[in-house]
Amino acid sequence: MGTGTDDCRWATAVCEQADTVVCTVDYRRAPEHPFPTAVEDGADAVMWIWDHADELGIDGDRIGVSGFSAGGNMSLTVPLRLQDALLRRRGAEPPPPHVSSDAPVGLPHEHRAVKLIATWYPSTDFTNSREERRKTNTRPDKELPRFFTKMFDASYLHPPKEIKLDSPYLSPGVASDELLKFLPDEILLYTCEWDELLAEGERFRDRVEKLGKKIKYKMVKGVLHGWNLSPNPFKSDAVAQEVFAEACKEIKRVFHGAQSLVQ
């Protein structure tokens, strides 16, 4: 899990249908590298792509990030972490003692390096316990196995007593409005109907909408968490094909000016 080829179907769709170059990042993973390593690797990857855009033959002003589940979380937290990295690169003054070191200060919003986020069933609020999250799922029988979510949390949130669960680089859903303003204006958010992350995903949608972001939201009906990860490489998923095509039209609209077909 977490390899650069996990979401090859999505990457292929973006390349073919959105006429967009895709770079997959093989970031360091837990348990060997717990939070915040993956987020920092993601920010480093965006900065590297940004710095080498001419060499790669891409437009550095049209960079987007995308991911599923934990990667969906990173597609929201990496742009936030990136702003702090850009601030430090420019040699700006560090934040005063009374300001959280998690919050970049003094960086104008026009310096955002990411133009688009396409996030799929992301976790957005780790301040909610797993039990609280499970209670929001309308189909408990479709829930992820407890041993799996327990293993994930134990691996990524380590050491457990030292992780700040309200860090914006872990729980963007509880980040301050001022920090969320650093997100790009264009956000695509897809959730699953039978998922413990649905409720927090919709709360996040409501927050960024109030901040004036152009968020395109869709709950994919009748599916559970990880619905697009079919183990059979030869079997196509009609739902995935439809939703991916819809998302690609939005990506093409943002990057190439094509007309949006999503209302």
Side-chain angles (χ1 to χ4, degrees), residues 3-26 64-68 118 120-121 227-229 240-241 243-245 247-249 251-252 255-256:
T3 66
T5 58
D6 281 358
D7 299 313
C8 58
R9 292 185 179 91
W10 167 236
T12 300
V14 173
C15 289
E16 295 180 348
Q17 300 179 41
D19 192 21
T20 297
V21 176
V22 174
C23 301
T24 61
V25 180
D26 194 15
V65 291
S66 182
F68 295 73
W120 301 82
Y121 46 89
W227 55 274
N228 58 298
L229 299 175
Q241 289 180 333
V243 179
F244 284 1
C248 286
K249 289 173 182 175
I251 293 173
K252 196 168 185 178
F255 286 159
H256 304 291

Side-chain angles (χ1 to χ4, degrees), residues 3 6 24 43 54 58 64 79 84 87 91 111 130 170 172 175 194 221 229 235 239 241 244 249:
T3 66
D6 281 358
T24 61
D54 290 341
I58 62 176
D84 185 61
L87 179 65
H111 284 294
R130 285 292 178 181
L170 179 65
W194 302 331
K221 296 181 179 180
L229 299 175
K235 182 180 179 181
V239 175
Q241 289 180 333
F244 284 1
K249 289 173 182 175

Side-chain angles (χ1 to χ4, degrees), residues 71-112:
N73 171 275
M74 289 177 59
S75 66
L76 296 170
T77 56
V78 163
L80 298 178
R81 182 67 181 86
L82 182 64
Q83 299 307 316
D84 185 61
L86 291 173
L87 179 65
R88 295 176 188 279
R89 170 183 285 192
R90 289 175 172 81
E93 291 294 325
H98 65 279
V99 176
S100 169
S101 60
D102 283 339
V105 295
L107 185 64
H109 290 165
E110 61 264 29
H111 284 294
R112 288 175 301 206

